[in-house]
Amino acid sequence: MSPVSKSKKDAGKKVMLTGDRPSGNLHIGHFVGSVRTRVEMQNSGEYEMYILIADLQALTDNAQNPEKIRESIIQIMLDYLAVGLDPNKVNFVLQSAVPALFELPMYYANLVTQARLERNPTVKDELKMRGFNRDVPVGFISYPISQAADITAFQASVVPVGADQIPMLEQTREIVSAFNRTYNCDALVMPKEIVPKDSCKRLVGIDGAAKMSKSLGNCIYLKDSSEELKKKVTAMYTDPNHIHISDPGTVEGNVVFIYLDAFCSDEHFKRFLPEYKNLDELKSHYKRGGLGDVKIKTFLFKVLDELLAPMRERRSKYEKDVPAVLDALKRGTDAAIKKTNETLAKVRRAIGINIL
Ligand code: TRP
């Protein structure tokens, strides 16, 4: 441990909170969507940081599968440590171990209507995907309330998330307003999302499907080996009409170019493909014709492999020391219990149910 405690170092900083459902390993879509921002925020030193492993939220659509969630908790911790998040700078928090996170929703639920939950666009999509109507479990339809508790319990003002989480933040802000207005107080802090720039929103899968997702089997995982990565890049969907190298090709909807947009910089060209200055030059050559898929795929492979190599290395170090991983989670969770209990006390005082 460093001699100065994290809570002392964090005094006066803005609070950042974000979270993930533990339901599988993180993929490069998560990386560009939100994980990369977390590492940058950590390195800026400007934030008091909490990253929540939302196992209770994962249970809302996996009640029959708790062992899957349990296994994913360690996996996601390994992913965090692999990308370079540092337990001496970030509090890793296990949601189910923090009582305030399930007491607060009890109060917030009274300020949210059923109709409002059903209107939440993210929930709406998920209901459709899972074929739920009136048979939707109450825990599932109400998870935005629980997520509002996650965010407000930490008094977070900054929440870096993928674009799909914007409706959750909107709903959280409504709860904050309703609470502060109803109880005539300023107990809850208004949060704001930080979303990635356009080229990084919702990375498509390697098959070109709208979303990279485990259930579609079209992901590149942060833990993929060089060989797995090579296979996936080679199999990537490009332009079906670009048959001969001399044919003009299309860049829009071409997965290789979508990924290059998200991951490559001019710097990569200098090192791996010096005949081109930047992505614009590469794109125009592809559009003109005369540039083959093998060449652009080899370039993309190098860009991604360089990104993942240090992650694999850090991961293999931590895989050998699971007790240290659990210890990091325990320390962060203890800090979270302390922090969120302060908010809980404020909330109870504001409502006036602090008689005993
Ligand atoms: N809903 C988020 C997801 O599906 C996970 C999450 C839970 C979260 N609580 C949060 C994200 C609080 C941001 C803030 O990935």
Side-chain angles (χ1 to χ4, degrees), residues 8 27 41 64 95 103 108 111 124 131 134 190 220 241 280 284 286 296 300 328 335 349 354:
K8 279 236 179 66
H27 52 62
M41 292 176 100
Q64 281 72 27
Q95 188 187 28
E103 182 169 336
Y108 299 171
L111 306 173
K124 229 171 162 173
R134 290 194 44 83
M190 197 59 83
I220 293 176
N241 299 316
D280 285 340
S284 14
Y286 194 80
I296 56 170
L300 176 62
R349 219 179 301 130
N354 55 339

Side-chain angles (χ1 to χ4, degrees), residues 17-21 52 54 57 143 147 150-151 159 161 165:
L17 170 123
T18 188
D20 301 287
R21 292 185 192 184
L52 186 72
Q57 190 176 114
Y143 89 76
Q147 187 157 337
D150 298 339
I151 295 167
V159 184
V161 283
Q165 295 295 305

Side-chain angles (χ1 to χ4, degrees), residues 113-185:
T113 65
Q114 173 86 12
R116 177 62 182 90
L117 287 170
E118 286 169 6
R119 252 196 336 266
N120 181 310
T122 303
V123 173
K124 229 171 162 173
D125 283 353
E126 287 172 314
L127 290 181
K128 205 151 101 207
M129 220 167 68
R130 291 173 174 74
F132 283 137
N133 287 301
R134 290 194 44 83
D135 56 349
V136 60
V138 172
F140 183 80
I141 186 90
S142 60
Y143 89 76
I145 301 177
S146 153
Q147 187 157 337
D150 298 339
I151 295 167
T152 53
F154 290 88
Q155 295 156 36
S157 58
V158 180
V159 184
V161 283
D164 61 320
Q165 295 295 305
I166 294 173
M168 297 296 157
L169 268 292
E170 281 166 358
Q171 183 140 25
T172 300
R173 282 190 285 271
E174 283 177 30
I175 290 173
V176 168
S177 301
F179 187 93
N180 288 347
R181 186 173 6 93
T182 304
Y183 300 109
N184 192 21
C185 65

